[in-house]
Amino acid sequence: FLASTYVSMAIMSVFISFIVSLVIFGVLMAFSLSNWVYVWIIILVPSLTAAIFYLQPSSEANNLQKKVSQELPFATIHMATIASSEVEPTKIFKIIALSKEYPSIGMEARKILAQVEVYGYDLVTSLKNVAARTSNKKLAELFGGIATNISTGGSLRNYLEKKAENYLLDYQLERQKYLALAGTFMDVYISILIAAPLVLMMIFIVMNVSGLGFE
C-alpha cells in the first residue's frame, strides 16, 4: 500500500468502528438506561482499531525479516550458482523471482525487476532503491554489495559465494541457539512435570514409613 492509501484506510476504519460502537451502545441503552456504564465501548473499539493499524506495518516487517533471514543462505547459494554460468545479472533476479522456494526474497526480487522493466531504472539503481527500503539488513547488504560489484566490474560469482558461506554459517549458529533454547525448555519441562512429582511422591512415602505422615 502507498502510505497515503494506508492512512486513508486507517481513518475510514476508525470512523466505521466509532459508528458501530455508537450503535452497540445505543442498543444497550434501549434495553436499560443502567447500561450507560458501557460507554467505554465508544472509546475502546475505535482505539483498538487504530492500534491495530498502527502496529500492523511493524509486525509485517518483522515477519518478513524473519522469513528473509531463513531463505537468504539458500537463495544466495542459488544466485551464486546462476552467476557461475555468466548470465546477465538481471536474469539472476528473474529466476529467483519465479522460484517458489524463496517466496519472501522472490517478492523483493520482483520489486527490482519492476523498477528495471516498468520504471526503466538500471539494475544498479534498482538494487540500491530496494536495499534502502527492505526490512532485512542482511538482504539490504547483499543487494548493495551486488550493486557495487556490478558497478566496479568485479566477479559477481565470487562475491555471492563468499556471502553464501557467511550467511550459511550465521544460519547454522542461529539454529544452534534455537536448539540450545529448546533443550533448556525441555529440561525445565522434565524437571517440573516429571521429576518434581516423583520427588514429592518419594518424600510422602518416606514420611509415611517413618510415621511422619499426615493423619
Side-chain angles (χ1 to χ4, degrees), residues 142-202:
L142 177 65
F143 286 168
I146 293 175
T148 302
N149 196 276
I150 294 173
S151 300
T152 58
S155 174
L156 186 58
R157 172 189 175 183
N158 292 338
Y159 172 76
L160 289 172
E161 286 179 348
K162 290 178 181 179
K163 297 301 291 184
E165 291 177 2
N166 294 334
Y167 292 146
L168 191 59
L169 179 61
D170 292 342
Y171 179 81
Q172 291 173 345
L173 292 175
E174 194 69 23
R175 293 298 98 187
Q176 289 177 1
K177 288 181 181 179
Y178 283 125
L179 289 175
L181 183 62
T184 301
F185 280 117
M186 182 61 69
D187 292 339
V188 172
Y189 173 81
I190 293 175
S191 300
I192 294 177
L193 298 182
I194 299 178
L198 290 176
V199 172
L200 288 175
M201 185 180 298
M202 292 299 298

Side-chain angles (χ1 to χ4, degrees), residues 6-7 9-15 17-18 43-57:
Y6 190 80
V7 171
M9 291 171 56
I11 294 174
M12 179 60 71
S13 298
V14 170
F15 177 74
S17 65
F18 177 72
I43 301 175
L44 180 63
V45 175
S47 299
L48 287 177
T49 304
I52 290 172
F53 273 91
Y54 179 78
L55 297 174
Q56 181 68 16

Side-chain angles (χ1 to χ4, degrees), residues 121-141:
Y121 292 115
D122 60 273
L123 181 58
V124 172
T125 303
S126 301
L127 284 165
K128 291 180 179 180
N129 290 340
V130 175
R133 290 174 174 81
T134 183
S135 61
N136 190 284
K137 293 182 178 180
K138 290 183 178 180
L139 186 62
E141 177 187 295

Side-chain angles (χ1 to χ4, degrees), residues 40-77:
W40 52 265
I41 294 177
I42 300 175
I43 301 175
L44 180 63
V45 175
S47 299
L48 287 177
T49 304
I52 290 172
F53 273 91
Y54 179 78
L55 297 174
Q56 181 68 16
S58 60
S59 176
E60 288 293 333
N62 289 333
N63 290 334
L64 179 61
Q65 182 178 355
K66 293 177 182 178
K67 292 178 182 178
V68 168
S69 296
Q70 293 174 353
E71 298 173 7
L72 190 57
F74 311 103
T76 308
I77 293 173

